[in-house]
Amino acid sequence: MTSGAAALDFPVPAEPGSEGGGSPVRAVLFDLDGTIYRGTEAIPGATETVAALRAAGIRCVFASNNPTATSLDYSRRLIGLGIPTAEADVLTSGGVAVEWLRETHPSDSVFVIGEESLIRELQAAGIQVTTSEQADVVLTAFDRTFSYAKWNTAFQALRRGALFAATNPDTTCPVSDGGLIPDCGGITAALEATSGRRVDVVFGKPSRIMAEAALERLGVGAEEALVVGDRLETDIQMGQAAGVRTVLVLSGVTGHGADSSAASAVLPSVRELPGLLGSWDQSTS
């Protein structure tokens, strides 16, 4: 792919610790929770960083593994934080799941272990949502209403051969008080343990499906993109698997003691991103 946007004059190294020589960055995929904001507050410097990148002609797209809100919901939240963002500039694991199911299984019925917001998003796309164990697809997601009845319906459908899909692999989800609550990965694991099935397809980070959707939305090839996030097992792993350079920020779930060697660079927060890119530029001048 190519892009008509101007590139930052900051060549980014293709590998961690290298001395530059990579293609210039034309687009950045930002994680949201723990990277751009925490709870209801923008992370200090996040608003200014996004504005600086956009001023340099860099396309910024945002991605979340949380399927309980739509792209429109997230765009409104970002606007409220002072980061003007179009609905088309936000990817969610739920939205990617909806698009994939609409394109590849348009006539299949889907049993959802998920919250009403995801169910409405599926229905709005014309996907048949069912409560029957005769479902063609079982889709697991973050679900604070998870029950034994839902577990059993999904279990019976999987035993009958339903496609086994999950919005995201996260086992926990950060909350505003700094704690964690169980996420989709735990529900998926429960079904895997009881049904003897392995999940067939995962849509959220680090899935290749999400990576391809992000690159398409960014409008650039992998060599011109940068992924910035706070989770090694999702954000950084996705970038690495897709051949995209990565920056790990320590403003979210990953602490200073973690093995961050998989990332191209590590920063305290997104506030330091323009300075990092500038220092990489100077190393090649």
Side-chain angles (χ1 to χ4, degrees):
M1 299 178 189
T2 59
S3 171
L8 268 181
D9 295 328
F10 304 150
V12 179
E15 297 294 339
S18 69
E19 295 299 327
S23 299
V25 172
R26 295 182 181 274
V28 178
L29 177 69
F30 286 101
D31 172 55
L32 285 171
D33 196 8
T35 300
I36 295 295
Y37 55 71
R38 282 191 301 261
T40 60
E41 301 292 329
I43 287 172
T47 302
E48 294 81 3
T49 289
V50 174
L53 294 180
R54 287 172 168 168
I58 304 307
R59 181 157 167 72
C60 296
V61 169
F62 305 89
S64 174
N65 268 4
N66 188 338
T68 62
T70 66
S71 295
L72 180 59
D73 294 329
Y74 280 114
S75 71
R76 288 171 173 167
R77 182 173 186 178
L78 288 166
I79 291 168
L81 294 174
I83 304 174
T85 304
E87 180 181 0
D89 289 338
V90 183
L91 289 165
T92 70
S93 62
V96 172
V98 167
E99 288 303 310
W100 188 88
L101 288 168
R102 184 164 61 178
E103 291 175 6
T104 63
H105 293 73
S107 60
D108 283 357
S109 60
V110 182
F111 176 72
V112 183
I113 297 181
E115 300 192 359
E116 282 301 316
S117 56
L118 177 59
I119 291 172
R120 289 194 299 269
E121 191 171 4
L122 288 160
Q123 291 173 328
I127 295 170
Q128 179 188 352
V129 176
T130 182
T131 58
S132 169
E133 60 188 42
Q134 303 293 330
D136 301 304
V137 179
V138 168
L139 177 64
T140 59
F142 178 83
D143 188 1
R144 288 165 291 192
T145 66
F146 183 49
S147 65
Y148 186 86
K150 289 184 178 182
W151 187 0
N152 183 52
T153 299
F155 168 77
Q156 299 299 340
L158 292 176
R159 290 190 66 201
R160 288 174 167 80
L163 178 76
F164 190 1
T167 56
N168 59 290
D170 305 66
T171 56
T172 60
C173 176
V175 290
S176 57
D177 64 2
L180 297 170
I181 57 176
D183 204 334
C184 176
I187 295 172
T188 304
L191 279 168
E192 288 182 328
T194 52
S195 70
R197 295 272 306 275
R198 297 285 294 176
V199 65
D200 295 310
V201 58
V202 178
F203 302 106
K205 300 174 288 184
S207 165
R208 186 78 187 188
I209 296 172
M210 176 67 92
E212 290 173 354
L215 287 171
E216 182 177 356
R217 197 69 57 89
L218 289 167
V220 300
E223 71 283 355
E224 295 178 315
L226 185 68
V227 172
V228 180
D230 70 313
R231 283 184 181 259
L232 287 163
E233 68 276 16
T234 54
D235 306 310
I236 304 308
Q237 185 177 328
M238 182 184 73
Q240 188 178 36
V244 176
R245 293 158 291 185
T246 57
V247 171
L248 175 71
V249 291
L250 303 180
S251 52
V253 300
T254 302
H256 288 269
D259 180 3
S260 58
S261 58
S264 303
V266 182
L267 295 174
S269 74
V270 293
R271 182 199 291 273
E272 293 78 22
L273 183 59
L276 170 72
L277 296 178
S279 69
W280 278 344
D281 179 47
Q282 292 168 12
S283 73
T284 62
S285 62

